[in-house]
Amino acid sequence: MASRNENKALKAIQIIKASNLSAEVEFLHLELSDWVQTKAAAQKFVDSGEKLDILINNAAIFTSKFELNEFGVESDFAVNHLGHFVFTKTLIPALERSEKARVVVIASKSYIDAPREGIQFDKMNDAKFDVGMTKRYGQSKLANILFAKSLAEQFKDKPIWVNIVHPGFIATDLSFNVVESFGGGSIWFGKIISYLANLLAFTPEQAMETPFYVATSPDIETRNYRGEYFVPVKTLKKLTGLANDLILRDKLWDFSEKTIEKVLINTHH
C-alpha cells in the first residue's frame, strides 16, 4: 500500500489484516509531489523482484490557491498527473512480470472543466495565467485520462489492460474540501454546501465498486477493454472533447517526460 501518510496507511493495513488473516500488506512511503522520492519508491518495488498484477492510481489533491511544488510546477498537475506518471512508468517492469496486469487510473468527470486548450503547457506554472481552482483540477484530470490512453496504446499487444474510472462524488476529506471551497469565502455557507453534498455522496465503499470491477472483473479481458472510461456503477461511457485528442495526448507524454527528466538530471548534479 503506497501512501504519503504512514499512520493512515498502517491503520488501513490493520483493518485489512483484521478482516483477512492471511493478507500480506506492506507500507510503501510515497510522496507524489516529490518525483525523486516517487521514482525511488517505485524502483524499490521493481528491485524487490515482485510482479505487479494490479495498480490503482488513486491519489489526488485539489488546491484552492495557486501553488507550485518544490520543482516549480503547479501543485494539482504536479501530484495528480506527473507524480502518477513517474510512479507508473517506473513500475512498468513489475507490470510486465505479471501474466495478466491491470492499471486503473482514477480520473474524474471534472476533465471537462479543463482550460480551453486542455493543457496549458507554457502557462500553468505562471500565476499571471492562473485559471482558477476548478480549471486547474480539471486540467490535471484531463491529463490523467490522456496518460491512461497513452499507456493503453503502448500496451495494446501486451497482457496489460489500462482503463480509466470516474468514481463519482465521494464522502472523503478531498471532496468536502472541494465543496467547501465553493462557499465564496464564507465558512458557514461552505459548510452548508458540504452538508447537502454529503447527502448525495457515495460512501468510500460504494465508490470502490467501479474501480474494483475494472481492476478485477474478467469482463475487462474478455471484452478487451483498453483505454476505456467507466463511471458508477460499472458503466462504460464515451469520453468527449479533448480527452480524445491524439495530438494533445502525445504532446502531453513528451512534455511530461521532458519535465521529469529535467528534474531528475538536476537532482543528480
Side-chain angles (χ1 to χ4, degrees):
M1 180 181 290
S3 173
R4 70 189 174 97
N5 188 316
E6 185 171 5
N7 288 335
K8 284 186 178 179
L10 292 177
K11 282 179 185 174
I13 288 170
Q14 280 182 336
I15 292 168
I16 293 168
K17 288 184 172 179
S19 62
N20 183 353
L21 297 176
S22 64
E24 293 182 27
V25 190
E26 293 181 27
F27 168 68
L28 178 68
H29 181 232
L30 179 64
E31 193 69 56
L32 287 168
S33 65
D34 179 348
W35 308 320
V36 177
Q37 193 280 333
T38 296
K39 185 173 176 63
Q43 194 61 51
K44 181 180 178 183
F45 185 90
V46 171
D47 291 345
S48 74
E50 292 276 357
K51 63 178 181 173
L52 182 56
D53 296 315
I54 300 170
L55 172 64
I56 302 179
N57 288 341
N58 189 49
I61 63 169
F62 182 108
T63 52
S64 57
K65 293 178 182 175
F66 177 85
E67 296 173 351
L68 301 178
N69 77 341
E70 64 179 293
F71 306 119
V73 176
E74 191 277 311
S75 291
D76 284 14
F77 192 83
V79 171
N80 300 351
H81 167 59
L82 288 170
H84 287 116
F85 180 86
V86 177
F87 193 58
T88 306
K89 235 183 130 222
T90 309
L91 286 169
I92 286 174
L95 288 165
E96 290 179 332
R97 282 183 201 132
S98 176
E99 291 177 19
K100 294 179 178 180
R102 306 272 180 98
V103 179
V104 182
V105 175
I106 305 298
S108 167
K109 68 177 182 180
S110 297
Y111 79 89
I112 62 172
D113 296 325
R116 186 175 49 81
E117 63 269 51
I119 310 293
Q120 294 191 303
F121 295 106
D122 302 322
K123 299 177 183 174
M124 74 170 77
N125 305 325
D126 190 334
K128 290 200 303 289
F129 299 105
D130 179 32
V131 290
M133 60 186 179
T134 304
K135 282 186 166 62
R136 284 198 306 270
Y137 184 71
Q139 174 174 249
S140 74
K141 294 288 104 182
L142 174 62
N144 288 156
I145 290 169
L146 295 170
F147 170 54
K149 284 185 157 284
S150 286
L151 274 183
E153 175 66 20
Q154 290 176 38
F155 293 142
K156 66 183 178 184
D157 298 320
K158 293 186 177 182
I160 302 173
W161 286 263
V162 183
N163 288 290
I164 307 145
V165 171
H166 162 60
F169 183 76
I170 314 163
T172 63
D173 291 344
L174 172 66
S175 297
F176 294 130
N177 287 343
V178 172
V179 169
E180 286 189 17
S181 68
F182 288 98
S186 165
I187 293 172
W188 286 110
F189 184 53
K191 291 203 177 294
I192 290 168
I193 296 174
S194 181
Y195 171 75
L196 294 173
N198 189 32
L199 300 178
L200 303 172
F202 289 118
T203 64
E205 292 76 17
Q206 290 169 327
M208 272 309 297
E209 280 191 56
T210 304
F212 188 74
Y213 167 77
V214 176
T216 63
S217 172
D219 293 351
I220 303 301
E221 291 170 31
T222 55
R223 297 173 185 173
N224 202 30
Y225 288 136
R226 295 176 184 266
E228 299 290 357
Y229 178 60
F230 292 82
V231 300
V233 176
K234 309 175 190 174
T235 304
L236 201 58
K237 187 171 183 180
K238 289 218 175 292
L239 289 160
T240 60
L242 293 169
N244 297 310
D245 189 320
L246 299 184
I247 295 172
L248 186 63
R249 181 195 74 182
D250 294 345
K251 188 175 180 183
L252 174 66
W253 185 277
D254 291 342
F255 175 81
S256 303
E257 281 203 320
K258 285 171 184 168
T259 303
I260 296 300
E261 280 172 16
K262 187 177 175 184
V263 165
L264 295 179
I265 288 168
N266 287 341
T267 54
H268 283 103
H269 285 79

